Amino acid sequence: MKIVVIGGSGLIGTKLVKNLRQHGHEVVAASPSSGVNTLTGEGLAEALKDAQVVVDVANSPSFEDKAVLEFFETSGRNLLAAEAAAGVGHHIALSVVGTERLLASGYFRAKMAQENLIKASKIPYTILRSTQFFEFVSGIAQSATEGQTVRLSPALVQPVVSDDVAAALADVAVEEPLNGTIELAGPERIRLDELVRRFLSANRDARKVTTDVHALYFGTELNDRSLTPGDNPRIGPTRFEDWLSRSIPQG
Ligand SMILES: NC(=O)c1ccc[n+]([C@@H]2O[C@H](COP(=O)([O-])OP(=O)(O)OC[C@H]3O[C@@H](n4cnc5c(N)ncnc54)[C@H](OP(=O)(O)O)[C@@H]3O)[C@@H](O)[C@H]2O)c1
């Protein structure tokens, strides 16, 4: 099968491309660094020629409200139009669990716009909504840091490791399109403030986490339902503690 991975050079994309190639598929890793740009349309038609499946795991270089909306709207439109022209039979996109509950955030308004374009297109699709990646915990800490304090909500989260996200997408790529949305989460629920505390402590990071129920998460307040999946998500098996002990600097 010919599968195009848009954002094939990113965190998830790199792992997905490797996984699909190991399963014998012809895979194009498409991104600006390899001459394929969904914002301008450059290289798209050529990359999609004879492709059966497209997996979109691109992300916006900027999370600023206007820029991120422009990224997901324009990229989504260009990509879906090019797929229709090439006769692609399955469009798969990676989105975020809880997106419709997080619309006070510009980033999630942009992800919602991406999902809505897919649903409105005629191309058979599957949207995989994942929870936060373990690798993103550092970014969450960074976004909530002021001086030496990291102010975070104690809302429940159920994060997942990027390898398990890539494996789930590789499965979806060879399944029939659902014309619907499925969820993926890690094996354990934990409070966001506690998750970041564990991450900082394991990395001997001196910043201190302050718990605040009103702390904003990329522009939106959270509760225990905001970021957690509904019934029957697919589960990535890797535990946070196991990943942490593998990923912290040794010595
Ligand atoms: N972070 C989380 O916890 C989380 C949770 C759930 C879902 N997600 C979703 O997961 C997806 C992938 O995230 P990630 O962390 O793997 O991303 P990432 O590592 O930041 O990679 C982004 C990718 O997008 C590509 N890209 C940027 N601009 C592009 C353009 N104009 N045209 C085509 N490709 C472009 C980049 O290509 P170059 O390298 O060539 O610039 C890169 O391959 C995102 O859609 C995000 O919303 C994230």
Side-chain angles (χ1 to χ4, degrees):
M1 196 143 72
K2 179 175 171 184
I3 302 173
V4 177
V5 179
I6 303 290
S9 60
L11 173 67
I12 300 296
T14 308
K15 294 175 185 213
L16 177 60
V17 166
K18 192 168 162 214
N19 187 319
L20 290 168
R21 282 186 181 145
Q22 279 167 352
H23 284 88
H25 300 292
E26 179 191 349
V27 185
V28 176
S31 76
S33 52
S34 62
V36 183
N37 191 325
T38 49
L39 263 184
T40 61
E42 181 201 351
L44 254 187
E46 182 59 28
L48 294 187
K49 195 167 177 292
D50 299 326
Q52 284 107 319
V53 176
V54 171
V55 190
D56 183 6
V57 290
N59 207 358
S60 172
S62 164
F63 282 19
E64 186 273 320
D65 284 4
K66 200 163 163 279
V68 72
L69 185 63
E70 162 83 8
F71 179 85
F72 281 110
E73 282 189 336
T74 307
S75 292
R77 277 199 194 96
N78 288 340
L79 182 56
L80 291 163
E83 286 179 30
V88 168
H90 191 183
H91 177 91
I92 299 159
L94 182 58
S95 191
V96 189
V97 163
T99 291
E100 79 285 0
R101 299 187 287 272
L102 302 162
L103 298 178
S105 156
Y107 186 80
F108 291 101
R109 286 196 295 278
K111 292 300 286 184
M112 197 77 248
Q114 178 191 22
E115 290 193 6
N116 288 338
L117 283 168
I118 294 165
K119 290 175 187 166
S121 86
K122 291 198 175 61
I123 298 165
Y125 71 91
T126 305
I127 295 170
L128 179 75
R129 281 183 165 187
S130 166
T131 55
Q132 289 59 52
F133 312 152
F134 293 170
E135 289 84 349
F136 190 52
V137 173
S138 153
I140 295 172
Q142 199 52 47
S143 73
T145 296
E146 264 178 48
Q148 284 296 96
T149 303
V150 187
R151 186 173 298 281
L152 285 167
S153 161
L156 282 174
V157 292
Q158 195 171 332
V160 64
V161 78
S162 62
D163 300 88
D164 292 344
V165 179
L169 285 168
D171 289 343
V172 172
V174 295
E175 292 166 4
E176 288 299 311
L178 286 177
N179 292 318
T181 301
I182 47 177
E183 293 187 319
L184 174 75
E188 297 161 329
R189 289 191 173 190
I190 178 173
R191 298 206 170 274
L192 182 62
D193 55 340
E194 187 53 28
L195 178 74
V196 173
R197 232 173 246 126
R198 283 196 205 169
F199 176 82
L200 295 180
S201 154
N203 283 285
R204 299 187 189 119
D205 188 315
R207 286 176 289 172
K208 290 277 168 271
V209 174
T210 301
T211 305
D212 176 356
V213 289
H214 299 297
L216 297 183
Y217 176 82
F218 297 97
T220 183
E221 284 196 17
L222 298 178
N223 61 44
D224 285 348
R225 274 298 292 125
S226 304
L227 297 176
T228 44
D231 297 337
N232 305 318
R234 294 190 187 194
I235 297 292
T238 308
R239 294 177 59 248
F240 185 68
E241 291 302 331
D242 293 338
W243 172 79
L244 203 51
S245 57
R246 274 193 269 125
S247 63
I248 51 173
Q250 300 300 311

